[in-house]
Protein backbone atom coordinates (compact mmCIF):
# COMPACT_ATOMS: atom_id res chain seq x y z
CA UNK A 1 0.00 0.00 0.00
CA UNK A 2 2.91 2.38 0.72
CA UNK A 3 4.22 1.84 -2.81
CA UNK A 4 0.78 2.53 -4.28
CA UNK A 5 0.54 5.69 -2.18
CA UNK A 6 3.96 6.81 -3.40
CA UNK A 7 3.06 6.14 -7.03
CA UNK A 8 -0.25 7.98 -6.63
CA UNK A 9 1.59 10.95 -5.09
CA UNK A 10 4.03 11.04 -8.02
CA UNK A 11 1.17 10.94 -10.51
CA UNK A 12 -0.70 13.71 -8.69
CA UNK A 13 2.40 15.93 -8.63
CA UNK A 14 2.93 15.32 -12.35
CA UNK A 15 -0.66 16.32 -13.12
CA UNK A 16 -0.28 19.48 -11.02
CA UNK A 17 2.94 20.28 -12.89
CA UNK A 18 1.17 19.93 -16.24
CA UNK A 19 -1.66 22.12 -14.99
CA UNK A 20 0.84 24.82 -14.01
CA UNK A 21 2.55 24.53 -17.40
CA UNK A 22 -0.79 24.91 -19.19
CA UNK A 23 -1.52 28.06 -17.18
CA UNK A 24 1.85 29.55 -18.06
CA UNK A 25 1.53 28.69 -21.77
CA UNK A 26 -1.97 30.10 -22.11
CA UNK A 27 -1.47 33.36 -20.23
CA UNK A 28 1.99 34.07 -21.71
CA UNK A 29 0.47 33.83 -25.18
CA UNK A 30 -2.47 35.92 -23.99
CA UNK A 31 -0.25 38.91 -23.14
CA UNK A 32 1.36 39.02 -26.59
CA UNK A 33 0.51 42.23 -28.48
CA UNK A 34 -2.51 42.04 -30.79
CA UNK A 35 -5.28 39.46 -30.69
CA UNK A 36 -6.15 36.35 -32.64
CA UNK A 37 -8.81 38.05 -34.74
CA UNK A 38 -6.39 40.75 -35.92
CA UNK A 39 -3.81 38.12 -36.88
CA UNK A 40 -6.37 36.12 -38.86
CA UNK A 41 -7.99 38.99 -40.76
CA UNK A 42 -4.94 41.21 -41.15
CA UNK A 43 -4.58 44.98 -41.04
CA UNK A 44 -7.27 45.72 -43.62
CA UNK A 45 -10.08 44.18 -41.57
CA UNK A 46 -13.01 46.41 -40.69
CA UNK A 47 -14.15 46.84 -37.07
CA UNK A 48 -17.37 44.99 -37.88
CA UNK A 49 -15.60 41.90 -39.20
CA UNK A 50 -13.17 42.00 -36.27
CA UNK A 51 -16.00 42.15 -33.76
CA UNK A 52 -17.85 39.33 -35.50
CA UNK A 53 -14.79 37.08 -35.49
CA UNK A 54 -13.95 37.93 -31.87
CA UNK A 55 -17.49 37.02 -30.91
CA UNK A 56 -17.25 33.75 -32.82
CA UNK A 57 -13.93 32.86 -31.22
CA UNK A 58 -15.13 33.83 -27.74
CA UNK A 59 -12.47 36.49 -27.30
CA UNK A 60 -14.88 38.68 -25.34
CA UNK A 61 -15.16 36.00 -22.65
CA UNK A 62 -12.98 36.38 -19.55
CA UNK A 63 -9.49 34.88 -19.85
CA UNK A 64 -10.27 32.30 -17.16
CA UNK A 65 -13.29 31.06 -19.12
CA UNK A 66 -11.28 30.86 -22.34
CA UNK A 67 -8.49 29.01 -20.52
CA UNK A 68 -10.96 26.48 -19.15
CA UNK A 69 -12.45 25.88 -22.60
CA UNK A 70 -9.00 25.49 -24.14
CA UNK A 71 -7.85 23.06 -21.43
CA UNK A 72 -11.05 21.01 -21.70
CA UNK A 73 -10.65 20.77 -25.47
CA UNK A 74 -6.97 19.84 -25.13
CA UNK A 75 -7.71 17.01 -22.69
CA UNK A 76 -10.25 15.58 -25.14
CA UNK A 77 -7.79 15.82 -28.03
CA UNK A 78 -9.38 18.84 -29.71
CA UNK A 79 -6.48 21.24 -30.32
CA UNK A 80 -8.44 23.70 -32.45
CA UNK A 81 -7.61 25.02 -35.91
CA UNK A 82 -4.47 26.60 -37.28
CA UNK A 83 -4.66 30.37 -37.75
CA UNK A 84 -2.47 30.13 -40.85
CA UNK A 85 -3.93 27.23 -42.81
CA UNK A 86 -7.34 26.83 -41.08
CA UNK A 87 -6.62 23.10 -40.87
CA UNK A 88 -7.22 21.14 -37.64
CA UNK A 89 -4.12 21.19 -35.47
CA UNK A 90 -4.31 17.42 -35.01
CA UNK A 91 -4.16 16.99 -38.79
CA UNK A 92 -1.04 19.16 -38.92
CA UNK A 93 0.73 17.56 -35.96
CA UNK A 94 -0.12 13.88 -36.54
CA UNK A 95 2.42 13.21 -39.35
CA UNK A 96 5.03 15.38 -37.63
CA UNK A 97 4.62 13.50 -34.36
CA UNK A 98 4.89 10.18 -36.20
CA UNK A 99 8.14 11.30 -37.84
CA UNK A 100 9.58 12.41 -34.51
CA UNK A 101 8.51 9.19 -32.78
CA UNK A 102 10.31 7.19 -35.49
CA UNK A 103 13.42 9.37 -35.09
CA UNK A 104 13.33 9.22 -31.28
CA UNK A 105 12.86 5.44 -31.19
CA UNK A 106 15.78 4.98 -33.57
CA UNK A 107 17.91 7.37 -31.49
CA UNK A 108 17.05 5.49 -28.28
CA UNK A 109 18.01 2.16 -29.87
CA UNK A 110 21.40 3.64 -30.77
CA UNK A 111 21.68 5.28 -27.34
CA UNK A 112 21.62 1.96 -25.44
CA UNK A 113 24.79 0.39 -26.92
CA UNK A 114 26.54 3.78 -27.10
CA UNK A 115 26.00 4.10 -23.35
CA UNK A 116 26.42 0.56 -22.03
CA UNK A 117 29.42 -0.63 -24.06
CA UNK A 118 31.80 2.29 -23.30
CA UNK A 119 30.75 2.24 -19.63
CA UNK A 120 31.49 -1.49 -19.34
CA UNK A 121 34.88 -1.08 -21.04
CA UNK A 122 35.80 1.78 -18.75
CA UNK A 123 34.63 -0.03 -15.62
CA UNK A 124 36.49 -3.28 -16.23
CA UNK A 125 39.61 -1.42 -17.45
CA UNK A 126 39.52 1.45 -14.97
CA UNK A 127 42.54 3.79 -14.85
CA UNK A 128 44.03 2.15 -17.95
CA UNK A 129 44.74 3.88 -21.28
CA UNK A 130 41.43 2.76 -22.80
CA UNK A 131 39.55 4.20 -19.82
CA UNK A 132 41.36 7.53 -20.09
CA UNK A 133 40.90 7.68 -23.87
CA UNK A 134 37.15 7.09 -23.63
CA UNK A 135 36.91 9.69 -20.86
CA UNK A 136 38.60 12.26 -23.11
CA UNK A 137 36.27 11.43 -26.01
CA UNK A 138 33.25 11.69 -23.71
CA UNK A 139 34.42 15.05 -22.36
CA UNK A 140 34.96 16.44 -25.86
CA UNK A 141 31.52 15.29 -27.02
CA UNK A 142 29.94 16.60 -23.83
CA UNK A 143 31.28 20.10 -24.50
CA UNK A 144 30.18 20.08 -28.14
CA UNK A 145 26.87 21.78 -29.05
CA UNK A 146 24.21 19.72 -30.78
CA UNK A 147 24.31 21.68 -34.02
CA UNK A 148 28.12 21.39 -34.25
CA UNK A 149 28.03 17.62 -33.82
CA UNK A 150 25.25 17.40 -36.42
CA UNK A 151 27.28 19.54 -38.83
CA UNK A 152 30.38 17.36 -38.36
CA UNK A 153 28.36 14.20 -39.04
CA UNK A 154 26.85 15.86 -42.11
CA UNK A 155 30.30 16.73 -43.42
CA UNK A 156 31.70 13.24 -42.78
CA UNK A 157 28.84 11.07 -44.04
CA UNK A 158 27.38 13.34 -46.72
CA UNK A 159 30.29 15.31 -48.18
CA UNK A 160 33.27 13.02 -47.57
CA UNK A 161 31.85 9.48 -47.69
CA UNK A 162 28.46 10.21 -49.29
CA UNK A 163 26.62 7.48 -47.42
CA UNK A 164 23.48 9.45 -46.59
CA UNK A 165 21.37 12.21 -48.17
CA UNK A 166 22.10 15.81 -47.20
CA UNK A 167 18.41 16.57 -46.52
CA UNK A 168 16.32 14.14 -44.48
CA UNK A 169 13.00 14.50 -46.25
CA UNK A 170 10.21 11.94 -45.76
CA UNK A 171 6.48 11.94 -46.44
CA UNK A 172 3.50 9.59 -46.40
CA UNK A 173 4.82 7.74 -49.46
CA UNK A 174 8.27 7.03 -47.96
CA UNK A 175 9.29 3.41 -47.48
CA UNK A 176 11.06 1.91 -44.48
CA UNK A 177 14.36 2.21 -46.38
CA UNK A 178 13.68 5.89 -47.01
CA UNK A 179 13.06 6.44 -43.30
CA UNK A 180 16.22 4.52 -42.42
CA UNK A 181 18.36 6.64 -44.73
CA UNK A 182 16.70 9.88 -43.65
CA UNK A 183 16.86 9.29 -39.89
CA UNK A 184 20.23 7.61 -39.38
CA UNK A 185 22.32 10.79 -39.07
CA UNK A 186 19.77 12.73 -36.97
CA UNK A 187 19.26 9.68 -34.73
CA UNK A 188 23.01 9.16 -34.35
CA UNK A 189 23.42 12.81 -33.38
CA UNK A 190 20.72 12.56 -30.72
CA UNK A 191 22.05 9.22 -29.45
CA UNK A 192 25.60 10.55 -29.02
CA UNK A 193 24.41 13.68 -27.23
CA UNK A 194 22.32 11.59 -24.84
CA UNK A 195 24.96 8.90 -24.31
CA UNK A 196 27.75 11.22 -23.17
CA UNK A 197 25.62 12.28 -20.20
CA UNK A 198 24.97 8.70 -19.10
CA UNK A 199 28.29 6.95 -19.81
CA UNK A 200 30.20 8.57 -16.97
CA UNK A 201 27.48 7.90 -14.41
CA UNK A 202 27.07 4.28 -15.49
CA UNK A 203 30.84 3.78 -15.38
CA UNK A 204 31.06 5.08 -11.80
CA UNK A 205 28.04 3.03 -10.72
CA UNK A 206 29.52 -0.11 -12.26
CA UNK A 207 32.84 0.42 -10.49
CA UNK A 208 31.05 0.90 -7.17
CA UNK A 209 28.96 -2.25 -7.68
CA UNK A 210 31.94 -4.33 -8.83
CA UNK A 211 33.75 -3.41 -5.60
CA UNK A 212 30.83 -4.45 -3.40
CA UNK A 213 30.83 -7.50 -1.13
CA UNK A 214 28.10 -9.46 -2.90
CA UNK A 215 29.99 -9.26 -6.19
CA UNK A 216 33.09 -10.65 -4.49
CA UNK A 217 30.93 -13.41 -3.02
CA UNK A 218 29.61 -14.27 -6.48
CA UNK A 219 33.18 -14.44 -7.80
CA UNK A 220 34.21 -16.70 -4.91
CA UNK A 221 31.36 -19.06 -5.82
CA UNK A 222 33.12 -19.65 -9.13
CA UNK A 223 30.80 -17.66 -11.39
CA UNK A 224 32.42 -16.40 -14.56
CA UNK A 225 33.39 -12.75 -14.83
CA UNK A 226 30.97 -12.29 -17.73
CA UNK A 227 28.09 -13.81 -15.73
CA UNK A 228 28.87 -11.65 -12.69
CA UNK A 229 29.08 -8.52 -14.82
CA UNK A 230 25.92 -9.01 -16.92
CA UNK A 231 23.65 -10.77 -14.41
CA UNK A 232 24.62 -9.13 -11.12
CA UNK A 233 26.64 -5.91 -11.55
CA UNK A 234 25.05 -4.30 -14.61
CA UNK A 235 21.37 -4.53 -13.53
CA UNK A 236 22.17 -2.95 -10.15
CA UNK A 237 24.31 -0.23 -11.74
CA UNK A 238 21.56 0.66 -14.19
CA UNK A 239 19.05 1.66 -11.49
CA UNK A 240 20.72 4.98 -10.55
CA UNK A 241 21.06 5.75 -14.27
CA UNK A 242 17.30 5.62 -14.83
CA UNK A 243 16.82 9.29 -13.98
CA UNK A 244 19.51 10.29 -16.47
CA UNK A 245 17.82 8.10 -19.08
CA UNK A 246 14.49 9.75 -18.33
CA UNK A 247 16.06 13.18 -18.71
CA UNK A 248 17.59 12.01 -21.98
CA UNK A 249 14.18 10.88 -23.19
CA UNK A 250 12.83 14.26 -22.20
CA UNK A 251 15.77 15.89 -23.96
CA UNK A 252 14.57 14.28 -27.18
CA UNK A 253 11.63 16.70 -27.07
CA UNK A 254 13.91 19.74 -27.10
CA UNK A 255 16.91 18.22 -28.83
CA UNK A 256 14.95 17.30 -31.92
CA UNK A 257 14.19 20.98 -32.50
CA UNK A 258 17.85 21.73 -33.28
CA UNK A 259 18.66 18.45 -34.96
CA UNK A 260 15.57 18.43 -37.16
CA UNK A 261 16.34 21.95 -38.34
CA UNK A 262 19.94 21.05 -39.21
CA UNK A 263 18.89 17.98 -41.20
CA UNK A 264 15.65 19.56 -42.54
CA UNK A 265 13.72 16.64 -41.08
CA UNK A 266 9.92 17.24 -41.06
CA UNK A 267 9.25 16.39 -37.44
CA UNK A 268 7.62 17.76 -34.33
CA UNK A 269 10.46 20.10 -33.43
CA UNK A 270 10.68 21.77 -36.83
CA UNK A 271 6.90 22.25 -36.77
CA UNK A 272 7.22 24.12 -33.48
CA UNK A 273 9.84 26.45 -34.96
CA UNK A 274 7.69 27.09 -38.03
CA UNK A 275 4.66 27.84 -35.85
CA UNK A 276 6.64 30.28 -33.71
CA UNK A 277 7.81 32.13 -36.80
CA UNK A 278 4.22 32.38 -38.07
CA UNK A 279 2.78 33.05 -34.58
CA UNK A 280 0.24 30.30 -35.11
CA UNK A 281 -1.02 30.24 -31.51
CA UNK A 282 -3.17 27.06 -31.50
CA UNK A 283 -0.31 25.04 -32.99
CA UNK A 284 2.19 26.58 -30.56
CA UNK A 285 -0.04 25.82 -27.57
CA UNK A 286 -0.59 22.23 -28.69
CA UNK A 287 3.08 21.50 -29.45
CA UNK A 288 4.37 22.99 -26.20
CA UNK A 289 1.78 21.13 -24.14
CA UNK A 290 2.53 17.84 -25.89
CA UNK A 291 6.24 18.41 -25.24
CA UNK A 292 5.47 19.09 -21.57
CA UNK A 293 3.41 15.91 -21.30
CA UNK A 294 6.29 13.86 -22.75
CA UNK A 295 8.85 15.52 -20.47
CA UNK A 296 6.83 15.11 -17.29
CA UNK A 297 5.73 11.61 -18.28
CA UNK A 298 9.32 10.46 -18.87
CA UNK A 299 10.37 11.69 -15.44
CA UNK A 300 7.31 10.09 -13.84
CA UNK A 301 8.12 6.71 -15.40
CA UNK A 302 11.73 7.00 -14.23
CA UNK A 303 10.69 7.83 -10.67
CA UNK A 304 8.25 4.93 -10.48
CA UNK A 305 10.74 2.51 -12.06
CA UNK A 306 13.45 3.59 -9.62
CA UNK A 307 11.12 3.00 -6.66
CA UNK A 308 10.05 -0.42 -7.90
CA UNK A 309 13.60 -1.58 -8.71
CA UNK A 310 15.41 -0.18 -5.68
CA UNK A 311 14.47 -1.77 -2.31
CA UNK A 312 16.05 1.11 -0.37
CA UNK A 313 13.74 3.62 -2.04
CA UNK A 314 10.73 1.40 -1.34
CA UNK A 315 11.53 1.16 2.36
CA UNK A 316 12.30 4.90 2.53
Amino acid sequence: MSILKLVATRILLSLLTLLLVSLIIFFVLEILPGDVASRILGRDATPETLNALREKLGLYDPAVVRYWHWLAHFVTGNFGQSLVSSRPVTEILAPRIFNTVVLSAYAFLLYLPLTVLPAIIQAIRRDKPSDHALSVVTLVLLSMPDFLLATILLFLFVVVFRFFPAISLVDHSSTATDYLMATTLPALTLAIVMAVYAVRMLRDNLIEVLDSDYIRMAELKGLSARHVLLRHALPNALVPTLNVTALNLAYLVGGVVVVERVFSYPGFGSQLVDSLQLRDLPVIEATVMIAAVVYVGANLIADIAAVLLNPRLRTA
Side-chain angles (χ1 to χ4, degrees):
M1 290 300 295
S2 59
I3 297 178
L4 293 177
K5 183 179 179 180
L6 183 60
V7 170
T9 303
R10 292 283 200 276
I11 293 174
L12 180 60
L13 290 175
S14 298
L15 292 176
L16 290 175
T17 301
L18 290 175
L19 181 62
L20 179 61
V21 170
S22 69
L23 281 167
I24 294 173
I25 293 170
F26 184 84
F27 287 103
V28 164
L29 295 177
E30 278 290 307
I31 64 176
L32 291 177
D35 63 2
V36 175
S38 301
R39 297 188 192 102
I40 295 175
L41 297 178
R43 296 180 179 179
D44 299 330
T46 63
E48 292 76 12
T49 55
L50 284 173
N51 289 331
L53 184 57
R54 287 167 182 160
E55 186 71 30
K56 179 181 178 181
L57 296 176
L59 298 181
Y60 290 123
D61 295 334
V64 175
V65 175
R66 284 185 281 115
Y67 166 74
W68 176 253
H69 289 161
W70 170 73
L71 183 62
H73 289 155
F74 180 86
V75 171
T76 58
N78 180 9
F79 302 152
Q81 287 188 330
S82 167
L83 301 181
V84 176
S85 63
S86 298
R87 295 168 55 201
V89 175
T90 51
E91 182 181 314
I92 296 173
L93 292 183
R96 296 300 190 103
I97 292 175
F98 174 78
N99 289 341
T100 296
V101 168
V102 171
L103 175 60
S104 300
Y106 191 8
F108 189 70
L109 288 177
L110 296 176
Y111 160 79
L112 293 176
L114 288 175
T115 300
V116 174
L117 293 180
I120 290 177
I121 293 173
Q122 289 186 268
I124 61 179
R125 299 184 63 83
R126 71 186 82 169
D127 297 328
K128 293 184 178 180
S130 56
D131 180 24
H132 296 314
L134 286 173
S135 295
V136 171
V137 172
T138 301
L139 182 61
V140 171
L141 292 174
L142 187 62
S143 60
M144 189 178 296
D146 303 1
F147 70 89
L148 179 57
L149 177 60
T151 304
I152 292 173
L153 292 178
L154 267 175
F155 177 76
L156 288 176
F157 295 103
V158 175
V159 178
V160 178
F161 298 110
R162 299 183 180 180
F163 289 154
F164 300 102
I167 300 178
S168 302
L169 293 179
V170 290
D171 55 30
H172 64 279
S173 62
S174 300
T175 63
T177 303
D178 295 333
Y179 268 96
L180 181 65
M181 295 297 293
T183 57
T184 294
L185 286 183
L188 182 60
T189 304
L190 292 170
I192 292 174
V193 172
M194 292 189 299
V196 294
Y197 285 97
V199 167
R200 188 69 187 183
M201 175 174 285
L202 183 57
R203 170 198 178 272
D204 294 342
N205 291 336
L206 266 175
I207 290 176
E208 182 180 353
V209 171
L210 288 172
D211 290 339
S212 60
D213 293 336
Y214 74 91
I215 293 295
R216 293 194 181 95
M217 182 64 67
E219 292 172 343
L220 291 174
K221 289 181 178 180
L223 298 178
S224 65
R226 180 179 179 182
H227 181 87
V228 171
L229 176 66
L230 298 181
R231 296 294 299 274
H232 297 279
L234 185 59
N236 287 281
L238 284 173
V239 173
T241 317
L242 284 175
N243 286 331
V244 176
T245 302
L247 291 175
N248 281 328
L249 289 174
Y251 154 79
L252 285 174
V253 179
V256 293
V257 175
V258 176
V259 173
E260 287 179 359
R261 295 300 285 184
V262 172
F263 291 97
S264 300
Y265 184 73
F268 181 82
S270 58
Q271 179 62 53
L272 175 58
V273 175
D274 294 338
S275 301
L276 287 170
Q277 292 173 344
L278 297 172
R279 298 187 68 177
D280 195 347
L281 298 188
V283 181
I284 295 172
E285 291 170 341
T287 50
V288 175
M289 274 304 300
I290 292 172
V293 170
V294 174
Y295 187 92
V296 173
N299 283 279
L300 174 63
I301 292 172
D303 287 342
I304 294 176
V307 170
L308 295 178
L309 294 175
N310 194 330
R312 289 177 295 180
L313 292 179
R314 290 202 301 269
T315 55

